[in-house]
Amino acid sequence: MKNGERAANLALLGLTLAPLIVKVDPNLNVVLTACLTVYVGCYRSVKPTPPTETMSNEHAMRFPLVGSAMLLSLFLLFKFLSKDLVNAVLTCYFFVLGIVALSATLLPSISRFLPKNWNENVINWRFPYFRSVEVEFTRSQLVAAIPGTFFCAWYVSQKHWLANNVLGLAFCIQGIEMLSLGSFKTGAILLAGLFVYDIFWVFFTPVMVSVAKSFDAPIKLLFPTADSERPFSMLGLGDIVIPGIFVALALRFDVSRSKKSQYFKSAFLGYTLGLVLTIVVMNWFQAAQPALLYIVPSVIGCLAFHCIWNGEVKQLLEFDESKHSDSQDNDDDDDDDDAKLSKKDE
């Protein structure tokens, strides 16, 4: 773990716990927490192999439609069924999902103190009576699941805002770390679609705000305020993860060219500016704002200006993470073959 990432992790932990001890301005808390989460997730996504889940152009175009269908379905569920019943089912789902996400987030820190074979040896386990269902895990993952299970049990029993935020941050970090847009073209399609999606569901219907207030699950971060009528400010996880995977792609693009994080800095700056603008407008009008309305133009605009300034628009648009990883694998295979030939010559 690099020093910058370690410092960001510690800062994020301290900022999450700070409202328990001191009064923290919720607006500042929103900006710092979201930016630190994106920073941590981006650097965790830099690995020898790109993130496992890659999105295609078709998936990016369908994503806003699928998201709209799910959002409307939740709205109708809360409208026609008991809110307690819906939230009880969702709590069970997020209990399991939370253990997985929190364990995966804690794993790098825990695995350093465990035997090497615990991290490498994979155990295959089949479900009784369902032999076709197989689960793979390591002993280190089991150890990491222990604190994750206790924490999720505390969340289910108390529904404390701190437990909600910790699970929400784990979901965000894992989402940014594991998801890949593949190319900047796909990223631009996805962000443009969700730009329209966010504006429509926030400004033209009560659906988004209604679901956010009714949904008692870690799909949003809660920031304590001093206002008794509005005890918490909220930020949806999508406003962190969706732009975050685009910013992470910019970082991996820099790494692929063995250059310093120049485009990552411009994309990250764009995210920060967009988030600050969201807070300013929200406080000015005293109304909920679709964060992606401000974040998307800022992220794409800062990155576009930077690559145009450097004259590297073509390189940016032609970057394909899957092709780059394939060529890297072929280079590694060639190096292995050369090594074997040299050994034979000896």
Side-chain angles (χ1 to χ4, degrees):
M1 186 183 296
K2 296 180 180 179
N3 292 334
E5 185 185 343
R6 184 181 290 110
N9 275 296
L10 293 174
L12 185 59
L13 177 62
L15 189 62
T16 304
L17 298 174
L20 294 173
I21 306 169
V22 295
K23 182 181 177 181
V24 181
D25 182 79
N27 296 324
L28 181 64
N29 203 351
V30 168
V31 174
L32 291 179
T33 299
C35 290
L36 285 170
T37 304
V38 169
Y39 186 92
V40 171
C42 287
Y43 273 94
R44 284 179 63 124
S45 74
V46 179
K47 301 175 182 178
T49 55
T52 52
E53 299 296 330
T54 303
M55 188 175 293
S56 66
N57 289 348
E58 292 75 16
H59 291 148
M61 286 186 280
R62 287 200 299 264
F63 194 89
L65 299 177
V66 175
S68 297
M70 292 181 63
L71 184 66
L72 188 58
S73 299
L74 286 171
F75 177 76
L76 294 175
L77 281 175
F78 283 117
K79 188 175 181 65
F80 295 108
L81 295 179
S82 168
K83 185 186 295 185
D84 293 335
L85 174 62
V86 176
N87 279 317
V89 174
L90 292 172
T91 296
C92 294
Y93 172 74
F94 278 98
F95 174 76
V96 177
L97 198 62
I99 294 174
V100 175
L102 195 56
S103 303
T105 304
L106 294 173
L107 184 60
S109 300
I110 293 176
S111 60
R112 292 184 297 162
F113 303 100
L114 298 176
K116 187 177 180 181
N117 63 315
W118 283 32
N119 300 324
E120 296 177 351
N121 295 343
V122 178
I123 300 171
N124 297 313
W125 183 75
R126 295 181 183 275
F127 278 81
Y129 309 109
F130 298 96
R131 306 299 293 177
S132 60
V133 181
E134 184 179 8
V135 178
E136 295 183 350
F137 55 87
T138 63
R139 289 183 177 88
S140 296
Q141 289 174 324
L142 278 181
V143 173
I146 295 172
T149 302
F150 280 108
F151 192 90
C152 289
W154 176 52
Y155 165 75
V156 170
S157 63
Q158 300 295 324
K159 292 295 181 72
H160 194 276
W161 65 265
L162 177 61
N164 174 89
N165 284 7
V166 171
L167 288 179
L169 292 174
F171 291 143
C172 289
I173 291 172
Q174 287 303 302
I176 296 172
E177 178 183 355
M178 302 302 294
L179 296 175
S180 171
L181 293 169
S183 69
F184 289 99
K185 293 178 183 178
T186 303
I189 293 171
L190 178 66
L191 290 182
L194 290 176
F195 173 81
V196 177
Y197 161 92
D198 222 21
I199 293 173
F200 175 78
W201 290 112
V202 173
F203 282 151
F204 296 99
T205 74
V207 173
M208 180 81 79
V209 176
S210 176
V211 170
K213 291 180 177 178
S214 302
F215 205 121
D216 189 14
I219 62 162
K220 56 187 180 293
L221 300 182
L222 302 174
F223 303 93
T225 69
D227 187 353
S228 58
E229 296 183 0
R230 190 173 65 95
F232 295 102
S233 290
M234 296 185 297
L235 180 67
L237 301 192
D239 299 327
I240 300 175
V241 176
I242 299 301
I245 57 178
F246 188 85
V247 178
L249 182 65
L251 177 60
R252 294 195 298 275
F253 174 64
D254 291 333
V255 172
S256 71
R257 305 191 309 159
S258 301
K259 293 187 177 182
K260 292 184 179 180
S261 52
Q262 51 178 1
Y263 289 118
F264 166 71
K265 290 178 180 176
S266 57
F268 186 76
L269 174 63
Y271 179 76
T272 305
L273 292 176
L275 200 57
V276 170
L277 186 57
T278 304
I279 299 297
V280 170
V281 176
M282 182 184 69
N283 285 286
W284 182 273
F285 290 102
Q286 290 295 305
Q289 296 293 316
L292 294 181
L293 169 63
Y294 310 99
I295 294 173
V296 169
S298 296
V299 172
I300 294 180
C302 286
L303 186 65
F305 177 81
H306 195 176
C307 70
I308 291 172
W309 181 270
N310 289 346
E312 295 183 330
V313 176
K314 184 178 180 181
Q315 293 91 320
L316 196 81
L317 293 178
E318 290 181 347
F319 176 69
D320 190 320
E321 198 160 34
S322 59
K323 292 180 181 178
H324 176 76
S325 64
D326 291 341
S327 63
Q328 203 169 39
D329 292 340
N330 291 335
D331 291 341
D332 293 339
D333 293 339
D334 292 340
D335 292 340
D336 292 339
D337 292 339
D338 292 341
K340 289 176 183 177
L341 288 172
S342 63
K343 286 183 179 179
K344 287 181 180 180
D345 293 338
E346 291 175 1

